[in-house]
């Protein structure tokens, strides 16, 4: 296990046999935010009705108009949080999240996460239904090592009323995944065990 503290936040790394790590966010208190948000050691809650989309895009280091393009709709305003992390190629960031739609169609509010300049949607009103909600776990694999800005946010579409929210929590899934060679070794051990039991049974039968 490796611990990395950066920008006031702590990330937990679980090293796998291939030296890649599963990265779990373990504390949100040192994160920065813009708009409406609440941070604690266990989770971050981000709500719509925040600030102009251009302010959020600038805050996260995204291209102008990126939020409009992501869901092909006009974003009225948004809120977001961010922090930085240094990783190696192959490291995997995991997090648990819950999106609650506080609005109804056609006001298709949505939640997202960003890694550097990469922007990814988590869920929207159309997916969960009017005033619906959904929870899941997301894993992002870094193909190139370096220092990245990690961001989470939620936006209001068309207006700033009946805001939706995104809750992000630390993920418990930090067990390293065994490599194929480890799996093959386990299977071989299992086959050997079965053969040994059959051999003992045959020896006992012949003695009787």
């Amino acid at each position: 296990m490796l611990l990395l503290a950066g920008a006031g936040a702590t990330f937990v790394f679980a090293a796998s046999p291939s030296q890649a790590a599963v990265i779990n966010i373990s504390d949100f208190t040192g994160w920065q935010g813009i708009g409406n948000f609440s941070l604690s050691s266990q989770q971050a809650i981000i709500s719509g009705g925040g600030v102009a989309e251009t302010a959020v895009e600038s805050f996260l280091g995204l291209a102008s108009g990126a939020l409009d393009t992501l869901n092909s709709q006009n974003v009225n305003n948004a809120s977001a949080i961010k922090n930085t992390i240094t990783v190696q190629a192959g490291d995997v960031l995991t997090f648990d999240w819950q999106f609650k739609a506080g609005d109804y169609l056609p006001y298709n509010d949505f939640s997202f996460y960003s890694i550097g300049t990469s922007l990814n949607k988590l869920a929207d009103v159309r997916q969960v239904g009017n005033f619906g909600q959904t929870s899941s776990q997301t894993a992002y694999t870094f193909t190139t090592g370096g220092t990245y800005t990690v961001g989470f946010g939620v936006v209001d579409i068309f207006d700033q009323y009946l805001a939706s929210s995104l809750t992000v929590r630390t993920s418990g899934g930090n067990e390293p995944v065994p490599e194929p060679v480890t799996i093959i070794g386990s299977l071989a051990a299992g086959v050997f065990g079965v053969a040994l039991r059959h051999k003992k049974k045959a020896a006992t039968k012949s003695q009787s």
Side-chain angles (χ1 to χ4, degrees):
M1 297 290 291
L2 301 175
L3 293 178
L4 173 66
T10 302
F11 298 87
V12 179
F13 290 71
S16 75
S18 61
Q19 302 304 311
V22 176
I23 308 167
N24 294 312
I25 305 167
S26 61
D27 189 356
F28 288 92
T29 55
W31 287 56
Q32 296 176 281
I34 187 171
N36 299 324
F37 61 92
S38 173
L39 304 174
S40 72
S41 60
Q42 298 298 318
Q43 65 182 19
I45 302 174
I46 311 156
S47 301
V51 298
E53 64 170 306
T54 53
V56 171
E57 289 166 344
S58 176
F59 173 73
L60 294 176
L62 302 173
S64 178
L67 290 173
D68 282 346
T69 302
L70 181 62
N71 223 31
S72 301
Q73 288 181 298
N74 181 41
V75 173
N76 183 275
N77 50 53
S79 299
I81 62 171
K82 71 175 182 180
N83 212 326
T84 57
I85 182 173
T86 300
V87 302
Q88 295 182 357
D91 287 350
V92 181
L93 174 68
T94 66
F95 55 91
D96 295 334
W97 56 272
Q98 180 183 54
F99 173 70
K100 290 184 178 181
D103 217 331
Y104 56 92
L105 293 176
Y107 305 97
N108 192 33
D109 300 352
F110 67 88
S111 56
F112 66 89
Y113 73 98
S114 61
I115 306 289
T117 58
S118 173
L119 188 58
N120 307 274
K121 187 175 72 173
L122 291 171
D124 59 17
V125 175
R126 181 174 291 109
Q127 175 186 338
V128 303
N130 298 341
F131 305 105
Q133 61 181 296
T134 187
S135 299
S136 188
Q137 181 183 100
T138 293
Y140 179 93
T141 301
F142 293 88
T143 57
T144 305
T147 299
Y148 295 84
T149 295
V150 178
F152 298 100
V154 63
V155 310
D156 285 328
I157 295 295
F158 299 142
D159 67 8
Q160 58 182 351
Y161 307 106
L162 301 178
S164 300
S165 67
L166 172 68
T167 300
V168 185
R169 300 185 180 91
T170 180
S171 172
N174 61 356
E175 289 298 320
V177 178
E179 295 187 60
V181 102
T182 305
I183 297 172
I184 292 170
S186 299
L187 290 174
V191 171
F192 177 77
V194 171
L196 186 60
R197 284 195 297 272
H198 280 297
K199 186 175 181 180
K200 286 183 177 179
K201 286 182 180 179
T204 303
K205 189 172 182 180
S206 64
Q207 289 172 3
S208 61

